[in-house]
Amino acid sequence: QTIDKDAIASAATLLARTAVAAAYQDADYSIDYETAAAYALGLVQDAVDPSSETFVNLYACLFEDGNCEMLLNYGGVERANDAKRTGKDIGMGVPLGTPPNYYVSIYDAYNGQPFVQVGGKGYGAHKGGEVVDGETIEEYGEDETDAVMGRPSLLEMSIFGLLNDFLGRGSFADEDRTGAVLTLATCVS
């Protein structure tokens, strides 16, 4: 059974416009829903096209093959970014499989449960100083590599990467509805 691509595209367009309108603030920080809605409609002018390459690929990933190249690529970039940002590579999250399966599985370190790493070992629950199997468990914070971590799923990593990619690109339109040319601002730190 397939899901109507036009309905998904319409819902995605509505969601994008709603998110922009909900986040809209004018110069004096007052909320005016009519102005916010008009701003969102001007910013997200075109509806999502269900025949676009990105939509077709994402649809295939979410409904046909959860191990698709698109999710793996975006997930891989986020894995590398996280490892660079944190100094720890905790690997890729669990993929959706083929066909995609959205069952969350057992709640463990590979399926969303945060965990603590102490002395290079991972624990779902940690109490330092305890003796287990003749070995004393180290206290948290005694080693600079100790950390509390969570491994996102491949889907979460990929969506984060996809949003970073698209939000980082700026506008796809050359001009707004008034004809004003749109340009990206140059940021300097």
Side-chain angles (χ1 to χ4, degrees):
Q1 177 177 356
T2 62
I3 298 177
D4 183 359
K5 291 178 183 173
D6 291 327
I8 293 172
S10 295
T13 303
L14 179 62
L15 180 62
R17 289 177 178 156
T18 301
V20 168
Y24 179 77
Q25 291 288 330
D26 59 11
D28 63 357
Y29 296 100
S30 65
I31 299 172
D32 174 352
Y33 75 91
E34 291 172 334
T35 303
Y39 176 77
L41 189 59
L43 188 66
V44 184
Q45 297 176 18
D46 300 322
V48 174
D49 180 3
S51 64
S52 73
E53 181 180 352
T54 301
F55 184 94
V56 169
N57 288 339
L58 189 55
Y59 180 91
C61 291
L62 296 176
F63 298 107
E64 297 166 5
D65 179 9
N67 297 334
C68 66
E69 186 176 336
M70 180 183 204
L71 293 184
L72 292 172
N73 286 343
Y74 278 115
V77 169
E78 284 311 306
R79 174 185 178 180
N81 288 345
D82 286 345
K84 183 171 178 116
R85 194 170 28 250
T86 66
K88 297 186 181 302
D89 183 357
I90 59 174
M92 291 281 269
V94 176
L96 294 172
T98 304
N101 180 351
Y102 293 94
Y103 173 68
V104 294
S105 191
I106 297 169
Y107 191 56
D108 64 7
Y110 294 97
N111 293 292
Q113 178 184 8
F115 59 97
V116 62
Q117 181 178 335
V118 179
K121 296 180 180 177
Y123 300 92
H126 175 265
K127 186 173 181 183
E130 284 188 341
V131 177
V132 177
D133 296 328
E135 184 180 341
T136 303
I137 297 176
E138 296 178 35
E139 294 287 338
Y140 180 82
E142 291 180 355
D143 188 307
E144 67 180 26
T145 64
D146 292 353
V148 176
M149 299 181 281
R151 179 181 288 111
S153 70
L154 177 60
L155 179 62
E156 291 166 323
M157 294 173 81
S158 300
I159 289 173
F160 190 75
L162 184 74
L163 290 173
N164 276 338
D165 180 17
F166 279 88
L167 293 173
R169 291 182 194 182
S171 177
F172 291 101
D174 292 330
E175 57 186 48
D176 68 14
R177 289 186 172 194
T178 66
V181 174
L182 298 173
T183 59
L184 294 176
T186 301
C187 300
V188 178
S189 58

